[in-house]
């Protein structure tokens, strides 16, 4: 593939915020996305939310994937708020890991685009990220044309 | 988006020049992905290009380039200098995808507004990686970043070309890299302004440094003294010496980028021209034993070109 502004690999930030340091899940997902031809910016765990926003800006990513195995997902609404505060409104956020059923509606309500449990297949994850990246770029183009 | 509206690009260029990091992130994508939009953006930014000092870091995978770049970011920040980084990572040969991990070693700076890091994958660029990296560095320059560090894996030709377009080129080696070290030795002789033997905390570092010094002594004179610096990037030992070598060689190498850029453009143009000429050669010229006088054919080709260009 040769890049063009209308067609270049999806850029995805795969990261972990919060206190839990188990990053096996995010490594696996990063490998899935790479094997699907995407460009993955991977961070170690324990990222500060503001750092994630800076990374998203500097790397011009389309999608942010956050892994949460314990309670990290509880601060994801803060990440979405920080993104909005920085005027980064097109980037889609997905969450993967162990998210209790009853906490999902709150996450979706806060603006999370998709949630994957540990049973999700690589095909499901890749297809979702691909569709969300396309959506993010469409929103971004509309915003930038209209500015 | 097939092609962005001109108004959108000029707004973006303005915001880049004003130092907006979000605009810089976007502009880098436009320029990296090439084509008309990227070129339009670059020419809008061109007046602001030329004051940054660009330092390339190349060497085999695992030598410690990212770790050294991280240590140097700390050194520049301690002096109050703002630093931008382009980190080029290899790509999966199978999928074309990549996990861009260089910046994980530079994670301490992700909350610092005085540091801007962009990861680049090594493949897929229209016109080649070195052109893309060079254009991206120009955008960072236009955005007001005074120091730009470019990390590339010194395995292929395009990586060495990136070193050619930087103002100063630092080659990073480490002991115990065996074959990979052998493979880059030829390249070192040509491109290194500063040579770092990293992982000097290891016992075999002295031997590697001696080997490299030996090779440098065979190098043609007149390219300036190339310091061989023993560094431990993880321990922070010797990093100040690298920082100093970068300053010391600045006066001498500053502006080399534009000179190199001219040479780079000339070589790209020469290749394109050669391809065109070759495609247009008459059959006799390319078939063996065709009997045609080669001088005649050369004159004929030049004649056609003169007619085409109207001179
Ligand atoms: N012992 C030792 N290890 C180092 C040093 N610098 C880097 N490393 C290690 O070498 C590995 C590769 O480093 P990295 O900076 O990613 O290398 P790169 O591929 O050249 O960018 C990592 O595990 C580093 O921790 C050093 O000075 N001494
Ligand atoms: Mg590296």
């Amino acid at each position: 593939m040769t890049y063009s502004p209308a067609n270049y690999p999806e850029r995805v930030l795969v990261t972990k915020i919060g206190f839990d340091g188990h990053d096996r899940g995010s490594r696996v997902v990063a490998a899935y996305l790479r094997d699907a031809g995407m460009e993955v910016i991977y961070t170690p765990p324990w990222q500060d939310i503001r750092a994630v926003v800076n990374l998203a800006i500097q790397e011009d990513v389309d999608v942010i994937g956050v892994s949460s195995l314990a309670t990290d997902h509880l601060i994801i609404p803060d990440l979405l708020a920080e993104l909005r505060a920085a005027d980064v409104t097109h980037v889609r956020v997905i969450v993967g890991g162990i998210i209790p059923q009853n906490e999902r509606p709150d996450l979706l309500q806060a603006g999370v685009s998709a949630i994957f449990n540990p049973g999700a297949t690589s095909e499901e994850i890749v297809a979702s990220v691909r569709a969300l990246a396309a959506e993010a770029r469409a929103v971004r183009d509309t915003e930038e044309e209209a500015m | 988006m097939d092609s962005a509206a001109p108004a959108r690009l000029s707004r973006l260029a303005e915001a880049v020049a004003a130092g907006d990091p979000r605009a810089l992130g976007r502009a880098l994508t436009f320029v990296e992905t090439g084509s008309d939009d990227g070129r339009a953006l670059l020419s809008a930014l061109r007046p602001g290009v030329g004051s940054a000092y660009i330092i390339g870091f190349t060497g085999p995978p695992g030598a410690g380039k990212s770790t050294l770049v991280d240590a140097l970011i700390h050194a520049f920040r301690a002096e109050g200098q703002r630093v931008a980084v382009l980190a080029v990572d290899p790509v999966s040969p199978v999928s074309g995808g990549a996990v861009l991990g260089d910046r994980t070693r530079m994670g301490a700076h992700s909350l610092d507004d005085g540091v801007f890091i962009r990861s680049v994958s090594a493949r897929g660029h229209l016109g080649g990686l070195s052109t893309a990296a060079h254009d991206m560095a120009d955008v960072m320059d236009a955005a007001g970043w005074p120091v730009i560090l470019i990390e590339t894996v010194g395995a292929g030709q395009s990586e060495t070309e990136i070193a050619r377009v930087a103002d100063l080129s630092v080659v990073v080696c480490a002991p115990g890299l065996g074959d990979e070290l052998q493979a880059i030795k030829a390249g070192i002789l040509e491109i290194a302004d500063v040579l770092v033997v990293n992982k000097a905390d290891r016992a075999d570092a002295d031997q590697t440094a001696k080997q490299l010094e030996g090779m440098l002594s065979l190098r043609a004179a007149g390219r300036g003294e190339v310091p061989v610096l023993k560094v431990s990037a993880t321990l922070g030992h010797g990093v100040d010496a690298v920082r100093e070598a970068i300053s010391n060689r600045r006066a001498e190498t500053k502006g080399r980028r534009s000179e190199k850029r001219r040479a780079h453009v000339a070589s790209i143009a020469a290749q394109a021209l050669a391809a065109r000429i070759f495609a247009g050669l008459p059959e006799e010229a390319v078939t063996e034993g065709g009997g045609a006088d080669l001088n005649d054919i050369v004159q004929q080709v030049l004649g056609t070109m003169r007619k085409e260009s109207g001179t």
Side-chain angles (χ1 to χ4, degrees), chain B residues 62 64-67 88-89 101-102 105-106 151 153:
Chain B
K65 299 176 295 296
S66 298
T67 313
V88 182
D89 249 334
D102 283 330
R105 305 215 188 277
M106 308 168 196
E151 175 187 342
V153 177

Side-chain angles (χ1 to χ4, degrees), chain B residues 22 47 52 70 75-76 117 122 143 154 210 217 225-226 261 293 295 310:
Chain B
R22 216 164 43 119
D70 176 60
F76 280 111
I117 302 171
K210 287 217 169 62
S217 66
E225 193 67 24
V226 177
R261 189 186 171 94
D293 183 63
N295 278 324

Side-chain angles (χ1 to χ4, degrees), chain A residues 34 40 59-60 87 141 144, chain B residues 8 22 26 29 95 100:
Chain A
R34 176 201 61 207
V40 182
E59 299 287 356
D60 192 15
D87 230 1
D141 287 343
E144 286 181 4
Chain B
R8 175 181 177 187
R22 216 164 43 119
R26 292 288 302 120
T29 305
S95 69
L100 306 171

Side-chain angles (χ1 to χ4, degrees), chain A residues 62-85:
Chain A
D62 308 299
V63 176
I64 301 175
V66 188
S67 153
S68 172
L69 296 173
T71 55
D72 293 350
H73 61 279
L74 297 175
I75 54 173
I76 288 176
D78 295 346
L79 170 62
L80 287 150
E82 277 293 331
L83 283 167
R84 274 193 297 274

Side-chain angles (χ1 to χ4, degrees), chain B residues 58-70 88-90 101-102 104-106 151-154 172 174-175 177 197-202 231-237:
Chain B
T58 191
K65 299 176 295 296
S66 298
T67 313
L68 176 63
V69 166
D70 176 60
V88 182
D89 249 334
D102 283 330
T104 63
R105 305 215 188 277
M106 308 168 196
E151 175 187 342
T152 56
V153 177
V172 184
L177 290 171
V197 177
N198 190 37
K199 308 195 185 181
D201 48 280
R202 288 177 34 164
V231 172
S232 172
T234 40
L235 299 179
H237 296 169

Side-chain angles (χ1 to χ4, degrees), chain B:
Chain B
M1 170 186 73
D2 287 326
S3 194
R8 175 181 177 187
L9 293 176
S10 59
R11 269 195 306 267
L12 191 54
E14 264 172 47
V16 169
D20 174 5
R22 216 164 43 119
L24 176 55
R26 292 288 302 120
L28 289 169
T29 305
F30 271 105
V31 168
E32 177 179 16
T33 55
S35 85
D36 296 345
D37 288 337
R39 275 195 295 276
L41 197 54
L42 259 182
S43 47
L45 290 169
R46 188 62 59 197
V49 176
S51 45
Y53 189 48
I54 302 186
I55 306 154
F57 295 81
T58 191
K65 299 176 295 296
S66 298
T67 313
L68 176 63
V69 166
D70 176 60
L72 283 167
I73 298 173
H74 281 291
F76 280 111
R77 294 303 290 144
E79 298 164 18
Q81 283 261 39
R82 298 163 68 244
V83 193
V85 178
L86 274 181
V88 182
D89 249 334
V91 170
S92 152
V94 182
S95 69
V99 175
L100 306 171
D102 283 330
R103 76 174 298 153
T104 63
R105 305 215 188 277
M106 308 168 196
H109 311 285
S110 45
L111 286 172
D112 181 352
D113 289 342
V115 179
F116 189 108
I117 302 171
R118 177 63 173 244
S119 313
V120 184
S121 92
R123 260 212 341 224
H125 302 96
L126 202 72
L129 172 63
S130 61
T131 308
H134 196 266
D135 289 347
M136 292 172 87
D138 279 353
V139 173
M140 288 173 151
D141 184 351
W145 291 88
V147 176
I148 300 167
L149 313 180
I150 306 183
E151 175 187 342
T152 56
V153 177
Q157 194 192 350
S158 55
E159 287 81 4
T160 342
E161 273 172 22
I162 290 179
R164 286 183 204 284
V165 294
D167 289 311
L168 181 89
S169 160
V170 179
V171 172
V172 184
C173 301
L177 290 171
D179 291 349
E180 276 145 353
L181 193 60
Q182 292 299 334
I184 64 159
K185 276 180 177 174
I188 291 170
L189 287 174
E190 280 187 54
I191 63 169
D193 297 305
V194 174
L195 197 50
V196 167
V197 177
N198 190 37
K199 308 195 185 181
D201 48 280
R202 288 177 34 164
D204 39 355
D206 279 333
Q207 198 197 334
T208 306
K210 287 217 169 62
Q211 273 181 14
L212 292 169
E213 272 162 359
M215 297 199 44
L216 282 170
S217 66
L218 301 174
R219 197 165 106 141
R223 282 229 33 212
E225 193 67 24
V226 177
V228 177
L229 305 173
K230 280 186 277 181
V231 172
S232 172
T234 40
L235 299 179
H237 296 169
V239 175
D240 287 347
V242 179
R243 173 70 193 89
E244 216 177 287
I246 289 171
S247 303
N248 289 345
R249 300 216 52 183
R250 178 162 188 163
E252 180 192 331
T253 53
K254 180 74 189 111
R256 195 198 273 172
R257 177 159 59 112
S258 47
E259 188 187 305
K260 285 181 173 183
R261 189 186 171 94
R262 270 196 295 279
H264 189 59
V265 168
S267 96
I268 293 170
Q271 279 170 28
L273 204 56
R276 244 185 67 196
I277 292 172
F278 193 73
L281 279 183
E283 200 58 29
E284 315 87 271
V286 280
T287 49
E288 223 177 306
D293 183 63
L294 290 185
N295 278 324
D296 287 349
I297 296 172
V298 169
Q299 288 312 317
Q300 200 181 316
V301 169
L302 291 177
T304 318
M305 288 177 61
R306 267 195 289 273
K307 253 180 267 157
E308 273 179 13
S309 64
T311 51

